[in-house]
Amino acid sequence: MENAQLISLSRQIALQRQMDVVANNMANINTAGYKNVDILFEEYIMPTARHKDFKTLDQPLSFTQDWATIDDFASGSIELTGNELDMAIQGDGFFQILQPDGTLAYTRDGAFQSDINGQLVTSSGFVLQPAITIPPNTRSITIGRDGTVSVVVPGSEAPVQVGNMQLASFINPAGLQKVGENLYLQTASSGVANQNAPGTNGMGILNQGFVETSNVNVVEELVNMIETQRAYEVNSKMISATDDMLQFVNQQI
């Protein structure tokens, strides 16, 4: 009886974790560059001592354990925004972002803006790397598919190049560590970042005025949420029933 209760409790924890992951995916449906998260579970069996009421029978415990979450790095759709600082990567690669602690992070979120110094930054104010500064009173900005950034300033009709964007790629993107703010960190599992210009050495190209949308499948996540909630409710009833049975047995002793 106690074994059944422990099994149900372990499954309840796993189902709660799964609901949290699905809820987070749904909450980020409209987040540019967000990658859908899948959760993997594993079941393990732990032998126990012989049960006091069954002297000749070993009763192993089977638990469901939270194993890992994996980001699905499949590309999302490319959506027109008309914002000349927005960029979508068509193909492989990540934008490189300088965090406040001086470390590099990586993202597919290309919704950029300029700060008070004219530098291109994320919505959280983290600076794009290599740093690109837009001169004051710039009349227009052109970002080529190869990452070349040119501007037209007052008093001139000819574009002036102000920087070149670089993208980073990894042997195993699934090994990147998610750290919030739609950012990822390099790990031993991901391998080191390989930096190249867009459109070279397997890197994707840039599309100015577009952003890559979330790759979350709304219908699929809704189905996952419904199925998980139902399983959670059924498991809750099992736990409640087991509690009632244990209480009854204890009263008879």
Side-chain angles (χ1 to χ4, degrees), residues 116-222:
I116 57 174
N117 298 315
Q119 289 187 311
L120 296 189
V121 297
T122 67
S123 58
S124 299
F126 301 159
V127 180
L128 175 69
Q129 295 293 297
I132 294 176
T133 301
I134 306 301
N137 303 316
T138 291
R139 293 166 50 194
S140 66
I141 303 170
T142 301
I143 303 172
R145 294 161 76 88
D146 63 353
T148 302
V149 182
S150 302
V151 301
V152 175
V153 297
S156 174
E157 296 298 326
V160 177
Q161 185 173 326
V162 294
N164 290 282
M165 298 190 62
Q166 296 279 309
L167 298 179
S169 65
F170 298 88
I171 295 176
N172 178 33
L176 292 169
Q177 177 188 352
K178 180 178 286 188
V179 292
E181 305 287 349
N182 219 2
L183 299 174
Y184 298 87
L185 294 182
Q186 172 184 303
T187 69
S189 179
S190 69
V192 298
N194 297 306
Q195 300 179 19
N196 288 284
T200 65
N201 296 321
M203 292 293 187
I205 58 175
L206 298 183
N207 291 278
Q208 183 183 14
F210 292 81
V211 292
E212 179 185 354
T213 62
S214 162
N215 68 353
V216 174
N217 185 314
V218 180
V219 175
E220 183 176 319
E221 292 305 302
L222 283 172

Side-chain angles (χ1 to χ4, degrees), residues 67-86:
W67 180 37
T69 55
I70 297 180
D71 286 53
D72 175 9
F73 282 99
S75 297
S77 301
I78 293 180
E79 182 178 272
L80 176 66
T81 66
N83 183 345
E84 59 186 359
L85 294 181
D86 284 345

Side-chain angles (χ1 to χ4, degrees), residues 3 47-60:
N3 287 4
T48 64
R50 296 176 186 271
H51 195 281
K52 63 180 181 180
D53 297 325
F54 300 94
K55 302 298 184 181
T56 61
L57 177 65
D58 285 324
Q59 294 190 341

